[in-house]
Amino acid sequence: MANIDIFPDVERFLSESKSLFIAGEWVKPIAGGSFTVENPANRQVIATVSSAEKEDVDRAVQAARYALEGVWGRVQPSERTRLMLRLADLVEEDAHHLGQIISLENGKPYTNAYSGEVVITANILRYFAGWPSKIEGSTIPISPRSGAQMLNYTVKEPVGVCAMIVPWNFPLSMCAWKLGPALATGCTAVLKPAEQTPLSSLRLAELIQRAGFPGGVVNVVTGFGEGAGAPLAAHPDVDKIAFTGSTAVGRLIAQAAVGNMKKVSLELGGKSPNIILPDADIIRAAKGAADGIFYNQGQVCTAASRLYVHDSVLEQTLDELRKHASAHVIGPGLDPSTTMGPLVSSDQYEIVRGYISKAIDEGAELICGGKTPDYLSDGYFMEPTVFLDKQEKACIAREEIFGPVVTVMSWSDIDELVYRANNTPFGLAAGVWTNNLQQAHRIAAQLKAGSVWVNCWNVVDPASPFGGYKQSGWGREMGKNVIDAYTETKSVFIDLS
């Protein structure tokens, strides 16, 4: 396989030992710790990164507080907009470099890294750059019991210092999901990327520095959960924490926030149902189902991992899924022919392998996939995998896998179908494929999910809220809804009598 040549600037970036970004400067961790980042396509070390500990987190939070109460707190809305637009421009200018960095550390195909992360990151920053001048309070016609003439108005103020812990599956765009509203509202941030994929966040920090943001507005501390993530989540001078990741870690984040009653937003796991009705365009629906589970190697919180297919179109759908699975070209992310890269790490690879083995033991029928191609044994590759488990008795029908594994179930009664689709502790996303508009609206209204897609999958836009029901999270990201998550509302009463 012929890989894309790595840009000289990317080679330079990878070769340099990576420091922490605190108060606008690149600094070494106090304890001097470091760790290596590997390319999951071949298990080779590609960079060495500083490992932050509690003392470094303290420095970063202090820098964020100082900026919040100092220069950043005095910056006008129009200047916040200018800086954010400048950052978006720099992300676009650096797009090909960022795409390679993401592909190397995460494994996803370069084209997906470029179009699915870098371009989207710039769009998110531009969307939120429009918000600083539109965050408004209101005047309220109150009726005091005293009969006094009163003026009551509200103002929106930044919530404060925000801790941001982002995942490895979308290492750049998830930064933008959180930094966008934080910067727009006038907050400051301490960003902790996943230890598997810290490089794109550090590259973004270089661009933040070039854009001219004051020191301390955005700080980046790389490291592990125990050394950096846990101290950040529990820090008494952090006002809000925004986390994207597993439900298990989300519970720990929520517990850590209790100490000083931090504001918390959590975007967690999912086990999303995707429903095909008998009247649907099966060719289109099967392609949507395949894209919904195989994109990003299935490492997507909204992965369409539960596919409910009507009995009458089950065999046709399975045939189409086999075609889409076999059409994927599995390989390194920098190979131009690759359409599916490796899983992100050895740990994730073993988790997916374990689920596949357990599903077979529990009686699920393996339709295709389920193994690593022999010619790719050096990396963490897994074939697109389809199981049939008509009555969803195997664990793969209930538990989040985070890999390219879909479980197909059959159905005949629509009321029972809706019950089965909702019978999960998660509620992040759901999909319906049908040409019957009445059925589409009826089922969408009954599904307990934060996003419902009809005849499409995984449509996300900066202007539209994103988040989950039940154990899929707290709050919403994106859109105008997220502005409330990064602001406090102050009510002011003035006696005019």
Side-chain angles (χ1 to χ4, degrees), residues 329-356:
V329 178
I330 307 171
L334 292 188
D335 185 329
S337 65
T338 292
T339 62
M340 179 178 287
L343 297 169
V344 75
S345 67
S346 173
D347 288 346
Q348 192 59 29
Y349 175 73
E350 292 302 328
I351 288 171
V352 174
R353 283 186 60 194
Y355 270 112
I356 291 171

PDB file of all heavy atoms in Angstrom, residues 329-356:
ATOM      1  N   VAL A 329     -12.243  -0.796   1.791  1.00  0.00           N
ATOM      2  CA  VAL A 329     -10.815  -1.061   1.681  1.00  0.00           C
ATOM      3  C   VAL A 329     -10.188  -0.741   3.036  1.00  0.00           C
ATOM      4  O   VAL A 329     -10.191   0.420   3.474  1.00  0.00           O
ATOM      5  CB  VAL A 329     -10.169  -0.201   0.576  1.00  0.00           C
ATOM      6  CG1 VAL A 329      -8.664  -0.463   0.522  1.00  0.00           C
ATOM      7  CG2 VAL A 329     -10.815  -0.488  -0.771  1.00  0.00           C
ATOM      8  N   ILE A 330      -9.692  -1.764   3.699  1.00  0.00           N
ATOM      9  CA  ILE A 330      -9.143  -1.604   5.046  1.00  0.00           C
ATOM     10  C   ILE A 330      -7.642  -1.376   4.937  1.00  0.00           C
ATOM     11  O   ILE A 330      -6.942  -2.120   4.241  1.00  0.00           O
ATOM     12  CB  ILE A 330      -9.431  -2.853   5.899  1.00  0.00           C
ATOM     13  CG1 ILE A 330     -10.924  -3.181   5.871  1.00  0.00           C
ATOM     14  CG2 ILE A 330      -8.967  -2.641   7.332  1.00  0.00           C
ATOM     15  CD1 ILE A 330     -11.265  -4.508   6.497  1.00  0.00           C
ATOM     16  N   GLY A 331      -7.150  -0.361   5.628  1.00  0.00           N
ATOM     17  CA  GLY A 331      -5.722  -0.089   5.568  1.00  0.00           C
ATOM     18  C   GLY A 331      -5.339   1.134   6.367  1.00  0.00           C
ATOM     19  O   GLY A 331      -6.162   1.733   7.068  1.00  0.00           O
ATOM     20  N   PRO A 332      -4.064   1.536   6.294  1.00  0.00           N
ATOM     21  CA  PRO A 332      -3.587   2.724   7.010  1.00  0.00           C
ATOM     22  C   PRO A 332      -4.310   3.977   6.547  1.00  0.00           C
ATOM     23  O   PRO A 332      -4.685   4.098   5.378  1.00  0.00           O
ATOM     24  CB  PRO A 332      -2.090   2.777   6.657  1.00  0.00           C
ATOM     25  CG  PRO A 332      -1.749   1.395   6.194  1.00  0.00           C
ATOM     26  CD  PRO A 332      -2.990   0.861   5.545  1.00  0.00           C
ATOM     27  N   GLY A 333      -4.476   4.907   7.453  1.00  0.00           N
ATOM     28  CA  GLY A 333      -5.218   6.117   7.135  1.00  0.00           C
ATOM     29  C   GLY A 333      -4.592   6.965   6.049  1.00  0.00           C
ATOM     30  O   GLY A 333      -5.298   7.700   5.348  1.00  0.00           O
ATOM     31  N   LEU A 334      -3.276   6.894   5.889  1.00  0.00           N
ATOM     32  CA  LEU A 334      -2.607   7.716   4.885  1.00  0.00           C
ATOM     33  C   LEU A 334      -2.506   7.036   3.527  1.00  0.00           C
ATOM     34  O   LEU A 334      -1.912   7.588   2.607  1.00  0.00           O
ATOM     35  CB  LEU A 334      -1.208   8.114   5.370  1.00  0.00           C
ATOM     36  CG  LEU A 334      -1.159   9.087   6.553  1.00  0.00           C
ATOM     37  CD1 LEU A 334       0.267   9.541   6.810  1.00  0.00           C
ATOM     38  CD2 LEU A 334      -2.063  10.288   6.342  1.00  0.00           C
ATOM     39  N   ASP A 335      -3.078   5.843   3.386  1.00  0.00           N
ATOM     40  CA  ASP A 335      -3.181   5.209   2.072  1.00  0.00           C
ATOM     41  C   ASP A 335      -4.402   5.798   1.374  1.00  0.00           C
ATOM     42  O   ASP A 335      -5.522   5.698   1.878  1.00  0.00           O
ATOM     43  CB  ASP A 335      -3.329   3.701   2.233  1.00  0.00           C
ATOM     44  CG  ASP A 335      -3.319   2.969   0.899  1.00  0.00           C
ATOM     45  OD1 ASP A 335      -3.776   3.543  -0.107  1.00  0.00           O
ATOM     46  OD2 ASP A 335      -2.856   1.814   0.858  1.00  0.00           O
ATOM     47  N   PRO A 336      -4.229   6.409   0.188  1.00  0.00           N
ATOM     48  CA  PRO A 336      -5.365   7.059  -0.480  1.00  0.00           C
ATOM     49  C   PRO A 336      -6.524   6.124  -0.797  1.00  0.00           C
ATOM     50  O   PRO A 336      -7.660   6.583  -0.947  1.00  0.00           O
ATOM     51  CB  PRO A 336      -4.737   7.603  -1.770  1.00  0.00           C
ATOM     52  CG  PRO A 336      -3.285   7.702  -1.490  1.00  0.00           C
ATOM     53  CD  PRO A 336      -2.964   6.586  -0.548  1.00  0.00           C
ATOM     54  N   SER A 337      -6.269   4.825  -0.907  1.00  0.00           N
ATOM     55  CA  SER A 337      -7.338   3.891  -1.239  1.00  0.00           C
ATOM     56  C   SER A 337      -8.135   3.438  -0.023  1.00  0.00           C
ATOM     57  O   SER A 337      -9.197   2.835  -0.166  1.00  0.00           O
ATOM     58  CB  SER A 337      -6.764   2.657  -1.940  1.00  0.00           C
ATOM     59  OG  SER A 337      -5.913   1.921  -1.056  1.00  0.00           O
ATOM     60  N   THR A 338      -7.653   3.733   1.174  1.00  0.00           N
ATOM     61  CA  THR A 338      -8.294   3.260   2.401  1.00  0.00           C
ATOM     62  C   THR A 338      -9.630   3.943   2.638  1.00  0.00           C
ATOM     63  O   THR A 338      -9.752   5.167   2.533  1.00  0.00           O
ATOM     64  CB  THR A 338      -7.378   3.507   3.612  1.00  0.00           C
ATOM     65  OG1 THR A 338      -6.231   2.657   3.506  1.00  0.00           O
ATOM     66  CG2 THR A 338      -8.083   3.213   4.925  1.00  0.00           C
ATOM     67  N   THR A 339     -10.638   3.127   2.955  1.00  0.00           N
ATOM     68  CA  THR A 339     -11.926   3.672   3.376  1.00  0.00           C
ATOM     69  C   THR A 339     -12.229   3.331   4.835  1.00  0.00           C
ATOM     70  O   THR A 339     -13.157   3.896   5.407  1.00  0.00           O
ATOM     71  CB  THR A 339     -13.066   3.128   2.504  1.00  0.00           C
ATOM     72  OG1 THR A 339     -13.140   1.702   2.650  1.00  0.00           O
ATOM     73  CG2 THR A 339     -12.850   3.484   1.042  1.00  0.00           C
ATOM     74  N   MET A 340     -11.475   2.424   5.423  1.00  0.00           N
ATOM     75  CA  MET A 340     -11.628   2.101   6.844  1.00  0.00           C
ATOM     76  C   MET A 340     -10.262   1.855   7.452  1.00  0.00           C
ATOM     77  O   MET A 340      -9.518   0.982   7.000  1.00  0.00           O
ATOM     78  CB  MET A 340     -12.523   0.877   7.053  1.00  0.00           C
ATOM     79  CG  MET A 340     -12.679   0.494   8.524  1.00  0.00           C
ATOM     80  SD  MET A 340     -13.767  -0.924   8.804  1.00  0.00           S
ATOM     81  CE  MET A 340     -15.352  -0.168   8.487  1.00  0.00           C
ATOM     82  N   GLY A 341      -9.933   2.639   8.466  1.00  0.00           N
ATOM     83  CA  GLY A 341      -8.642   2.512   9.119  1.00  0.00           C
ATOM     84  C   GLY A 341      -8.697   1.568  10.310  1.00  0.00           C
ATOM     85  O   GLY A 341      -9.667   0.830  10.502  1.00  0.00           O
ATOM     86  N   PRO A 342      -7.662   1.590  11.138  1.00  0.00           N
ATOM     87  CA  PRO A 342      -7.621   0.726  12.311  1.00  0.00           C
ATOM     88  C   PRO A 342      -8.432   1.294  13.468  1.00  0.00           C
ATOM     89  O   PRO A 342      -8.805   2.477  13.465  1.00  0.00           O
ATOM     90  CB  PRO A 342      -6.132   0.722  12.666  1.00  0.00           C
ATOM     91  CG  PRO A 342      -5.663   2.091  12.248  1.00  0.00           C
ATOM     92  CD  PRO A 342      -6.440   2.396  10.993  1.00  0.00           C
ATOM     93  N   LEU A 343      -8.692   0.457  14.445  1.00  0.00           N
ATOM     94  CA  LEU A 343      -9.197   0.946  15.718  1.00  0.00           C
ATOM     95  C   LEU A 343      -8.090   1.741  16.394  1.00  0.00           C
ATOM     96  O   LEU A 343      -6.912   1.616  16.053  1.00  0.00           O
ATOM     97  CB  LEU A 343      -9.654  -0.222  16.588  1.00  0.00           C
ATOM     98  CG  LEU A 343     -10.820  -1.035  15.994  1.00  0.00           C
ATOM     99  CD1 LEU A 343     -11.029  -2.323  16.772  1.00  0.00           C
ATOM    100  CD2 LEU A 343     -12.094  -0.219  15.972  1.00  0.00           C
ATOM    101  N   VAL A 344      -8.450   2.545  17.374  1.00  0.00           N
ATOM    102  CA  VAL A 344      -7.524   3.559  17.871  1.00  0.00           C
ATOM    103  C   VAL A 344      -6.372   2.996  18.697  1.00  0.00           C
ATOM    104  O   VAL A 344      -5.303   3.600  18.763  1.00  0.00           O
ATOM    105  CB  VAL A 344      -8.295   4.623  18.682  1.00  0.00           C
ATOM    106  CG1 VAL A 344      -8.698   4.072  20.048  1.00  0.00           C
ATOM    107  CG2 VAL A 344      -7.471   5.901  18.837  1.00  0.00           C
ATOM    108  N   SER A 345      -6.569   1.851  19.338  1.00  0.00           N
ATOM    109  CA  SER A 345      -5.552   1.368  20.273  1.00  0.00           C
ATOM    110  C   SER A 345      -5.674  -0.127  20.487  1.00  0.00           C
ATOM    111  O   SER A 345      -6.666  -0.761  20.113  1.00  0.00           O
ATOM    112  CB  SER A 345      -5.699   2.083  21.626  1.00  0.00           C
ATOM    113  OG  SER A 345      -6.927   1.700  22.250  1.00  0.00           O
ATOM    114  N   SER A 346      -4.664  -0.671  21.128  1.00  0.00           N
ATOM    115  CA  SER A 346      -4.687  -2.090  21.496  1.00  0.00           C
ATOM    116  C   SER A 346      -5.861  -2.391  22.414  1.00  0.00           C
ATOM    117  O   SER A 346      -6.539  -3.419  22.256  1.00  0.00           O
ATOM    118  CB  SER A 346      -3.368  -2.459  22.187  1.00  0.00           C
ATOM    119  OG  SER A 346      -3.416  -3.770  22.695  1.00  0.00           O
ATOM    120  N   ASP A 347      -6.107  -1.512  23.385  1.00  0.00           N
ATOM    121  CA  ASP A 347      -7.221  -1.731  24.318  1.00  0.00           C
ATOM    122  C   ASP A 347      -8.548  -1.807  23.581  1.00  0.00           C
ATOM    123  O   ASP A 347      -9.367  -2.698  23.841  1.00  0.00           O
ATOM    124  CB  ASP A 347      -7.269  -0.622  25.368  1.00  0.00           C
ATOM    125  CG  ASP A 347      -6.143  -0.730  26.387  1.00  0.00           C
ATOM    126  OD1 ASP A 347      -5.490  -1.790  26.446  1.00  0.00           O
ATOM    127  OD2 ASP A 347      -5.914   0.256  27.111  1.00  0.00           O
ATOM    128  N   GLN A 348      -8.777  -0.862  22.668  1.00  0.00           N
ATOM    129  CA  GLN A 348     -10.049  -0.853  21.946  1.00  0.00           C
ATOM    130  C   GLN A 348     -10.167  -2.060  21.023  1.00  0.00           C
ATOM    131  O   GLN A 348     -11.252  -2.644  20.877  1.00  0.00           O
ATOM    132  CB  GLN A 348     -10.193   0.450  21.152  1.00  0.00           C
ATOM    133  CG  GLN A 348     -11.581   0.701  20.601  1.00  0.00           C
ATOM    134  CD  GLN A 348     -12.653   0.759  21.689  1.00  0.00           C
ATOM    135  OE1 GLN A 348     -12.375   1.141  22.822  1.00  0.00           O
ATOM    136  NE2 GLN A 348     -13.853   0.352  21.344  1.00  0.00           N
ATOM    137  N   TYR A 349      -9.073  -2.451  20.423  1.00  0.00           N
ATOM    138  CA  TYR A 349      -9.061  -3.623  19.559  1.00  0.00           C
ATOM    139  C   TYR A 349      -9.458  -4.875  20.344  1.00  0.00           C
ATOM    140  O   TYR A 349     -10.275  -5.683  19.877  1.00  0.00           O
ATOM    141  CB  TYR A 349      -7.663  -3.776  18.969  1.00  0.00           C
ATOM    142  CG  TYR A 349      -7.446  -5.023  18.136  1.00  0.00           C
ATOM    143  CD1 TYR A 349      -8.000  -5.146  16.874  1.00  0.00           C
ATOM    144  CD2 TYR A 349      -6.667  -6.065  18.625  1.00  0.00           C
ATOM    145  CE1 TYR A 349      -7.785  -6.273  16.101  1.00  0.00           C
ATOM    146  CE2 TYR A 349      -6.451  -7.207  17.865  1.00  0.00           C
ATOM    147  CZ  TYR A 349      -7.006  -7.304  16.605  1.00  0.00           C
ATOM    148  OH  TYR A 349      -6.795  -8.440  15.856  1.00  0.00           O
ATOM    149  N   GLU A 350      -8.910  -5.032  21.543  1.00  0.00           N
ATOM    150  CA  GLU A 350      -9.226  -6.210  22.351  1.00  0.00           C
ATOM    151  C   GLU A 350     -10.687  -6.181  22.821  1.00  0.00           C
ATOM    152  O   GLU A 350     -11.338  -7.225  22.928  1.00  0.00           O
ATOM    153  CB  GLU A 350      -8.284  -6.302  23.541  1.00  0.00           C
ATOM    154  CG  GLU A 350      -6.832  -6.610  23.167  1.00  0.00           C
ATOM    155  CD  GLU A 350      -6.694  -7.920  22.393  1.00  0.00           C
ATOM    156  OE1 GLU A 350      -7.489  -8.851  22.625  1.00  0.00           O
ATOM    157  OE2 GLU A 350      -5.785  -8.006  21.546  1.00  0.00           O
ATOM    158  N   ILE A 351     -11.206  -4.995  23.102  1.00  0.00           N
ATOM    159  CA  ILE A 351     -12.619  -4.885  23.489  1.00  0.00           C
ATOM    160  C   ILE A 351     -13.516  -5.362  22.355  1.00  0.00           C
ATOM    161  O   ILE A 351     -14.442  -6.154  22.557  1.00  0.00           O
ATOM    162  CB  ILE A 351     -12.950  -3.430  23.880  1.00  0.00           C
ATOM    163  CG1 ILE A 351     -12.318  -3.083  25.233  1.00  0.00           C
ATOM    164  CG2 ILE A 351     -14.475  -3.218  23.937  1.00  0.00           C
ATOM    165  CD1 ILE A 351     -12.414  -1.611  25.594  1.00  0.00           C
ATOM    166  N   VAL A 352     -13.247  -4.901  21.150  1.00  0.00           N
ATOM    167  CA  VAL A 352     -14.075  -5.281  20.004  1.00  0.00           C
ATOM    168  C   VAL A 352     -13.943  -6.774  19.720  1.00  0.00           C
ATOM    169  O   VAL A 352     -14.945  -7.467  19.480  1.00  0.00           O
ATOM    170  CB  VAL A 352     -13.702  -4.442  18.771  1.00  0.00           C
ATOM    171  CG1 VAL A 352     -14.460  -4.916  17.531  1.00  0.00           C
ATOM    172  CG2 VAL A 352     -13.998  -2.961  19.025  1.00  0.00           C
ATOM    173  N   ARG A 353     -12.736  -7.286  19.744  1.00  0.00           N
ATOM    174  CA  ARG A 353     -12.537  -8.725  19.542  1.00  0.00           C
ATOM    175  C   ARG A 353     -13.304  -9.532  20.583  1.00  0.00           C
ATOM    176  O   ARG A 353     -13.912 -10.563  20.274  1.00  0.00           O
ATOM    177  CB  ARG A 353     -11.052  -9.072  19.632  1.00  0.00           C
ATOM    178  CG  ARG A 353     -10.242  -8.734  18.417  1.00  0.00           C
ATOM    179  CD  ARG A 353      -8.824  -9.253  18.537  1.00  0.00           C
ATOM    180  NE  ARG A 353      -8.793 -10.702  18.700  1.00  0.00           N
ATOM    181  CZ  ARG A 353      -7.719 -11.388  19.097  1.00  0.00           C
ATOM    182  NH1 ARG A 353      -6.606 -10.749  19.410  1.00  0.00           N
ATOM    183  NH2 ARG A 353      -7.760 -12.699  19.199  1.00  0.00           N
ATOM    184  N   GLY A 354     -13.265  -9.058  21.822  1.00  0.00           N
ATOM    185  CA  GLY A 354     -13.963  -9.765  22.892  1.00  0.00           C
ATOM    186  C   GLY A 354     -15.461  -9.814  22.667  1.00  0.00           C
ATOM    187  O   GLY A 354     -16.106 -10.851  22.907  1.00  0.00           O
ATOM    188  N   TYR A 355     -16.029  -8.711  22.200  1.00  0.00           N
ATOM    189  CA  TYR A 355     -17.473  -8.679  21.932  1.00  0.00           C
ATOM    190  C   TYR A 355     -17.835  -9.626  20.790  1.00  0.00           C
ATOM    191  O   TYR A 355     -18.872 -10.312  20.838  1.00  0.00           O
ATOM    192  CB  TYR A 355     -17.922  -7.260  21.600  1.00  0.00           C
ATOM    193  CG  TYR A 355     -18.339  -6.463  22.809  1.00  0.00           C
ATOM    194  CD1 TYR A 355     -17.588  -5.380  23.250  1.00  0.00           C
ATOM    195  CD2 TYR A 355     -19.497  -6.793  23.513  1.00  0.00           C
ATOM    196  CE1 TYR A 355     -17.983  -4.645  24.367  1.00  0.00           C
ATOM    197  CE2 TYR A 355     -19.899  -6.061  24.617  1.00  0.00           C
ATOM    198  CZ  TYR A 355     -19.131  -4.993  25.042  1.00  0.00           C
ATOM    199  OH  TYR A 355     -19.529  -4.274  26.160  1.00  0.00           O
ATOM    200  N   ILE A 356     -17.010  -9.655  19.752  1.00  0.00           N
ATOM    201  CA  ILE A 356     -17.294 -10.541  18.624  1.00  0.00           C
ATOM    202  C   ILE A 356     -17.261 -12.003  19.076  1.00  0.00           C
ATOM    203  O   ILE A 356     -18.159 -12.796  18.745  1.00  0.00           O
ATOM    204  CB  ILE A 356     -16.290 -10.290  17.481  1.00  0.00           C
ATOM    205  CG1 ILE A 356     -16.558  -8.914  16.862  1.00  0.00           C
ATOM    206  CG2 ILE A 356     -16.372 -11.388  16.431  1.00  0.00           C
ATOM    207  CD1 ILE A 356     -15.508  -8.469  15.866  1.00  0.00           C
TER     208      ILE A 356
END
